[in-house]
Structures are given as C-alpha cells and as structure tokens.
Amino acid sequence: MKKYLVICLLWLTTGVAQAQSVIDDDQLGAWYMYFLTKKFKDSQFGIQGDYQFRNWNVGGDLEQLLLRTGVTYQPKNTNVTFTLGYAFISTGDFGESDSTFPEHRLYQEALLPQKVGGRFFLTHRFRYEQRWVENQDFRTRYRYSLFMNVPLNGQELKKGVVYLALYNELFINGQTDIGDGRTVQLFDRNRFYTGLGYGLRTNMRMQLGLMNQTTVAFTKPQLQVGIHHNF
C-alpha cells in the first residue's frame, strides 16, 4: 500500500511541476523597451541599439533580458541603412523558476524607409541572425518586419503629434536540427502589434500598444511600452 501511495505522490508532484511550466496563453505579459539611433556628424556611420526587459506577466516574472547594439552604415544618396551588430539575451522560464540560460547573437540587417501618400510612413526591415544558444547547436534565423506609422494630428512624426503604430514581423529558422536529436520547425514565430505613439520631442517618441506573439507552442498577448530616441 505504501508503495502505491509513493507512486501516486510522485505522479501528482510531476503533474504539478509540468502544469507550472506550461505557459499561460491568457496572461498578459509586458515588454519595456528603449531604442536609440545616432548618426555621427558628417559621416555615413552611426550606432543603433535596443535594450528590453520582457516579462511573462506585467512585472516580476522575467521572460528575457535583451541587450543589442550595432554599427550602422548609410550609403551616399540613399535612404537605406545597413547594420552589423551583437546581442546578448538571457531567457527565463515561465512561472516561479528563477533559472535562466544565455544566448549570444550576431546580426546583419537592412532598413528601408518608405513614405506612401501624405502621412503613411512605412519601414521594411530584413534581418539575418547567427545564434549561439546554451546547450544547442549553432543556429541561424531570418526575420522580416513591416512597420507603419500614421500621424493623426499632423503630417510628420514630430513633437506633439499622436500617431497610430502598427507592425508585423515573421521569423523563419535557418535549421530544424538543434542538436541531441532535438528539432524545431522552420516557422519560429510571428508578432503583430497595434499601438499609439506620441512625440515627446522632435527626436524622441513614446509608444504604448499590444503585441500578439504566435509560436508553434503558444499564442500570447504582450503589453509593449517603448521609447524611441534619435540623437
């Protein structure tokens, strides 16, 4: 009898642990983000970066800490910007666990802005990543984003202007084998975002919105609070 009780207790404990590790699709997460761009005076070069605190909930349950910085180059007589950069990411488990695992990443991207009509500001971003994730084989990933900002009380994105902000980003894995017999699908994730922005200064904007992230394993809403700083 004692033997069966022990087996039942172990089974229940395992079931609880597995339930805690399952991501809650309905729980609202929150990402707090700061983006910067700077072009060096009288130069085609500059820097860009984004620093993000991502939580599984509104605050406290770390999903990711992301620190990313790159060197930019804009060829003469074009509005295309190329970037070569590095990112460090620390990813945490959903729930009460405090364990994290690191990722180091190199990335190259091309940014193509486009204005349609009088007030539709589009940006196409193509990004290629090389990823070194702890306990996985070397991986690559392809990303394409389409951003659209639409000023609501003006013609330009400047101080005092409220604007609608939208974007969609698709992620495709470069490999399906990640080591030790583990595999992933070619489709990695998709992010769709809707929000509102406000021009705090001529070179600084704030955005607040909701992003819905869809992966093979889950679909989850994320509140996003971002500062975009160009100096």
Side-chain angles (χ1 to χ4, degrees):
M1 183 69 178
K2 290 182 178 180
K3 177 181 177 182
Y4 292 113
L5 285 174
V6 170
I7 292 173
C8 288
L9 287 172
L10 287 173
W11 179 81
L12 287 171
T13 303
T14 303
V16 170
Q18 288 176 344
Q20 289 178 340
S21 67
V22 175
I23 295 172
D24 185 353
D25 292 21
D26 297 324
Q27 184 184 56
L28 180 66
W31 294 9
Y32 305 100
M33 309 173 293
Y34 172 74
F35 300 88
L36 69 89
T37 57
K38 177 177 177 60
K39 186 174 181 180
F40 300 131
K41 187 176 181 180
D42 301 323
S43 172
Q44 295 167 256
F45 291 92
I47 59 171
Q48 73 168 26
D50 58 294
Y51 311 103
Q52 305 186 25
F53 293 89
R54 302 172 172 178
N55 293 307
W56 291 110
N57 53 14
V58 175
D61 186 6
L62 177 68
E63 178 187 357
Q64 284 186 330
L65 168 66
L66 186 148
L67 308 173
R68 182 165 41 208
T69 303
V71 177
T72 63
Y73 174 76
Q74 184 175 345
K76 290 182 178 180
N77 303 317
T78 72
N79 62 351
V80 180
T81 301
F82 298 101
T83 303
L84 172 63
Y86 164 79
F88 170 78
I89 301 96
S90 179
T91 299
D93 293 329
F94 177 84
E96 297 181 359
S97 174
D98 293 327
S99 64
T100 61
F101 62 89
E103 175 183 347
H104 300 274
R105 188 183 301 172
L106 295 178
Y107 69 97
Q108 303 83 44
E109 74 174 37
L111 206 65
L112 291 81
Q114 179 185 11
K115 188 175 181 180
V116 179
R119 60 173 66 197
F120 292 90
F121 293 84
L122 305 181
T123 302
H124 305 268
R125 186 178 72 191
F126 302 87
R127 181 178 287 175
Y128 177 53
E129 299 174 329
Q130 301 85 53
R131 307 173 63 196
W132 290 265
V133 184
E134 185 179 72
N135 297 323
Q136 296 183 15
D137 286 353
F138 171 73
R139 302 176 61 183
T140 62
R141 189 164 61 182
Y142 303 90
R143 299 169 56 169
Y144 168 70
S145 305
L146 175 60
F147 302 88
M148 182 171 69
N149 294 329
V150 185
L152 301 178
N153 61 333
Q155 297 292 321
E156 301 291 335
L157 299 173
K158 58 183 181 180
K159 182 178 179 180
V161 171
V162 178
Y163 62 95
L164 175 67
L166 303 165
Y167 78 73
N168 194 83
E169 183 169 21
L170 175 65
F171 297 65
I172 300 295
N173 288 311
Q175 299 80 24
T176 57
D177 185 354
I178 63 173
D180 297 327
R182 297 167 297 170
T183 60
V184 295
Q185 296 188 16
L186 287 176
F187 170 78
D188 184 69
R189 65 194 61 217
N190 191 82
R191 295 173 181 167
F192 178 74
Y193 168 87
T194 304
L196 287 175
Y198 178 74
L200 299 172
R201 302 177 185 173
T202 302
N203 65 341
M204 181 179 290
R205 295 178 281 118
M206 181 177 183
Q207 285 185 196
L208 175 65
L210 188 67
M211 183 269 289
N212 196 59
Q213 179 165 233
T214 300
T215 71
V216 174
F218 63 89
T219 297
K220 194 174 191 314
Q222 303 280 1
L223 176 71
Q224 288 194 347
V225 182
I227 296 291
H228 298 255
H229 191 187
N230 183 3
F231 64 99

